[in-house]
Every structure is written in structure tokens, then in C-alpha cells.
Amino acid sequence: MEGFQLIATGAGIPSRIVTNDDMSRIVDTSDEWITTRTGIRQRRFCAEGEDAGSMAIEAARQALANSGLDPARIGCCLCATIAARYLTPTNACLIQQELGLPQDIPVLDINAACSGFIYGAAVARGLLASRNDPARPYALVVGCEQLSRLMDMTDRSTCVLFGDAAGAAIFKLSDGPFAVDLGARGDMAIKVPEGGPIQMDGSAVFRFAVDALPRSLHTVLQEAGLTLDQLDWVVCHQANSRIIDHCIKKLKADPAKFYKNMDRYGNTSAASIPVALHELAESGRLTPGMRIACIGFGGGLTWGGMVLTVGPRPTAQE
Ligand code: ACO
């Protein structure tokens, strides 16, 4: 089986909403500057009692419930993150314990910054293929970031951009079109030392992103033997609305296919793509048989693109 199917999604969204006006009371900025430069209107920060672990567990719990699967059917569990609750146990191990996933499966965190969810999905697909266990044919992949604890709240050039969230997806091997494109270019344009804060050369990252995004989308479309017209959705990392607009312009694409939700969450790094997938699924806009492309880019610098299909909810016999 060459393809990869998205079976179910979930999200763990923290409760504290922080608007651009709230940010303008912390640093010298304005709703007008943030909205026009980035498309971000608000973000979520973890409130008391919420953290990277609780968000990841909630997202994974929702994805498992939405799949209707018994936890015993999960063949690997990965969490993409640069900001887990602990260095060890990993976020993925916290999820495994809380959800009662099997013990004889690979469970690990993975760090590829904002491309982490695509890297995680690609690694999960490889693990499912190499283990080839008919009893456990599903992968649980989570993207989770608590970036609020890594931000310098006096640096207006970064603190207005990021937010906290987790998203999760359950995948299985399938027939159907598939392609993956992963890459990295060691570069200090985004640097996060142990404990923070996030340091970023915004315009260097912007230049990288407007090149990497359309290039990776083009690569995976070519490899999957599809045209942009044959895709139902393109779900990009939600860093900046203008980066996605550049890609749309470069590829002369239909803007309606490019999902955007950074207005409500800001840049949530590895969580942004699975949260977007979950919003599409919850609102009935992801239906079985659809073809989607997901494209991430970010710290490392890294990028990752994937073409996959939307699968049906498993039946009781599956
Ligand atoms: N409010 C008001 N003014 C600001 C703010 C702010 N929050 N931040 C910066 N400014 C000022 C700057 O000081 C500068 O002022 P000056 O001209 O007087 O020096 C001016 O605004 C312009 O700053 P630029 O950095 O040139 O603004 P730009 O239009 O490039 O937008 C931004 C900055 C939004 C960061 C953009 O470069 C961007 O989105 N970059 C990509 C970031 C990204 O995609 N990151 C993804 C990966 S993150 C990860 O992997 C963890």
C-alpha cells in the first residue's frame, strides 16, 4: 500500500484568549500592525492547570474518540514538539499512559520545529510499513507547542506571533495517491536556546518560507502525479497569512483551497497543521476520498510536504 489516509483528528486548545489589543498593553505594538503584517488577531496561551502535556493528551484523546478505535489498535505514537512538558518522559509517553495505548509499540517525541507534524507523519508511516502489524495498523501523531513559555514578552518582534495549542491525527496505510518531501538547511534564522527565548530573524525566515512553501507543494504534487486542481485542500503551516498569499500568487492557485486560521491561534509551530485539519474535519469540510496537501516550514530551517487522502471512519470489524 503506497498511500496514507487521515482517519480522525482532535485538538487541545488552551482556554486563555489573548487579543492583539491585549498584546499592545504588554509591548509597543498595535492590532493594526499585527493584523496587516501577519493576519493574526488573537492567540491562545495556557492558563493555570494547562500545559504542553495536558493539551497533547486532550488532542490525542479527541482524535482517538473521533476514530472510534480501541486504543489497542494504535501501532505507534509520535508527538512533534519543541516544548514538551518534560525532556523525559516524552509527551508521547504521557499520551500513551493516559490513553492506555499498547506498550509494545514505538512511542517518541520528534523535533523539526514548525515542520514537525509532517516529519512526524512521515516517520509514523515508515514505522507502520516496517512493522506491518495487522493488529495495530494505525498511527497517532500529535503536534503540540507551549510556546508562551519560550517567548521574550519584551520583544515585540517575536512575542506577538506565537501561541499555544495541540492537534492530533490518526493515520493508516492505504491505497491512493501519496507523496512526501522532507528537507532541512542548517541555519540560525530561528534559534531557541534551552528554556528560551525564541530568537528570530523574521525577514530571513519570510524569504525562506515564500520559497520553500510553493517549492515543496510543487514537489509533492509532481511525485503524487496530481495537479493543484485535483486537490481539495492545501493546509500550510499557519505562520503568516502573507506567506500563504505569496504561495497562492506564485502558483496562480485558487485561494479558497488554502485554509487559514492564524487569525485565531497565531503561529503554533508543530500544532498548526493538525489544528487546521481538525477544524476542517469538525466543520464537515473533510470528507472521505478527498485529497489534501499539508506543507510545513520553520526552525532548523526545515520544510516538509505531504499529499495524502481522507479515509472513512473505521468500521467495528476494522
Ligand atoms: N509591532 C509594531 N512594530 C513592530 C513589531 C510589532 N509587534 N515588530 C516589529 N516591528 C517594527 C520593527 O521594529 C521595524 O521597525 P523599523 O522599520 O523602525 O526598524 C518594522 O516594524 C518592520 O519590521 P520587519 O521585521 O521588517 O517587518 P516585516 O514586514 O518583515 O514583518 C514578520 C515581520 C511578521 C516577523 C515577518 O518577517 C514574518 O512573518 N516572518 C516569518 C516568520 C515565520 O514564518 N516564522 C515561522 C517559523 S517560526 C518557528 O519555527 C518556531
Side-chain angles (χ1 to χ4, degrees), residues 27-30 33-34 37-38 82 113-114 147 156-157 160-162 190 192 198 200 202-203 205-206 209 237 239-240 242-243 267 269 297-299:
V27 284
D28 180 14
T29 191
S30 65
W33 192 95
I34 303 169
R37 288 301 220 285
T38 69
I82 63 165
C114 304
L147 297 177
R156 69 177 181 173
S157 69
V160 301
L161 303 175
F162 300 101
I190 306 168
V192 188
I198 298 172
M200 183 170 73
S203 46
V205 179
F206 195 96
H237 171 46
N240 185 322
R242 287 191 296 139
I243 292 173
N267 177 348
S269 189
F297 54 86

Side-chain angles (χ1 to χ4, degrees), residues 19-35 37 43 155-157 159-160:
T19 65
N20 289 347
D21 284 337
D22 293 332
M23 293 307 296
S24 73
R25 286 186 277 276
I26 301 170
V27 284
D28 180 14
T29 191
S30 65
D31 176 48
E32 200 267 334
W33 192 95
I34 303 169
T35 308
R37 288 301 220 285
R43 73 286 293 141
D155 176 7
R156 69 177 181 173
S157 69
C159 73
V160 301

Side-chain angles (χ1 to χ4, degrees), residues 39-292:
I40 297 165
R41 293 182 183 277
Q42 64 178 49
R43 73 286 293 141
R44 302 284 185 122
F45 289 161
C46 285
E48 184 118 6
E50 296 169 338
D51 78 344
S54 65
M55 289 189 294
I57 290 164
E58 175 59 21
R61 199 190 300 282
Q62 283 184 19
L64 192 63
N66 288 335
S67 74
L69 288 167
D70 189 291
R73 306 285 281 151
I74 300 296
C76 63
C77 171
L78 281 83
C79 182
T81 182
I82 63 165
R85 179 186 284 174
Y86 309 114
L87 287 176
T88 192
T90 59
N91 255 8
C93 280
L94 301 179
I95 294 165
Q96 177 196 29
Q97 189 182 37
E98 286 294 322
L99 269 60
L101 303 183
Q103 294 187 359
D104 55 343
I105 61 169
V107 175
L108 69 150
D109 282 3
I110 190 163
N111 177 346
C114 304
S115 314
F117 183 75
I118 306 298
Y119 268 70
V123 171
R125 181 173 176 273
L127 286 169
L128 288 183
S130 65
R131 290 168 61 80
N132 192 24
D133 180 353
R136 310 198 191 296
Y138 296 93
L140 172 58
V141 182
V142 178
C144 171
E145 304 288 15
Q146 189 183 355
L147 297 177
S148 60
R149 71 180 173 84
L150 294 175
M151 283 164 17
D152 175 355
M153 290 306 259
T154 64
D155 176 7
R156 69 177 181 173
S157 69
T158 53
C159 73
V160 301
L161 303 175
F162 300 101
D164 300 340
I170 291 181
F171 297 104
K172 82 182 277 222
L173 300 174
S174 71
D175 295 323
F178 173 80
V180 64
D181 167 49
L182 301 176
R185 185 186 90 195
D187 189 305
M188 289 289 169
I190 306 168
K191 188 167 86 178
V192 188
E194 181 67 44
I198 298 172
Q199 298 156 26
M200 183 170 73
D201 176 347
S203 46
V205 179
F206 195 96
R207 283 195 302 277
F208 164 72
V210 295
D211 171 58
L213 187 52
R215 194 165 32 81
S216 190
L217 179 53
H218 180 72
T219 302
V220 286
L221 279 171
Q222 232 178 8
E223 201 181 302
L226 295 175
T227 63
L228 202 42
D229 291 342
Q230 293 172 297
L231 289 180
D232 296 284
W233 288 106
V234 181
V235 179
C236 301
H237 171 46
Q238 306 284 310
N240 185 322
S241 182
R242 287 191 296 139
I243 292 173
I244 297 178
D245 291 342
H246 263 84
C247 178
I248 292 168
K249 205 166 153 198
K250 202 159 176 175
L251 298 174
K252 299 189 176 58
D254 173 7
K257 275 192 185 178
F258 287 68
Y259 190 69
K260 288 183 183 172
N261 68 2
M262 74 286 288
D263 56 325
R264 282 166 289 129
Y265 302 109
N267 177 348
T268 60
S269 189
S272 82
I273 291 175
V275 167
L277 290 172
H278 181 63
E279 286 197 338
L280 282 169
E282 284 292 281
S283 55
R285 286 176 286 173
L286 273 193
T287 50
M290 280 186 166
R291 296 156 169 170
I292 53 179

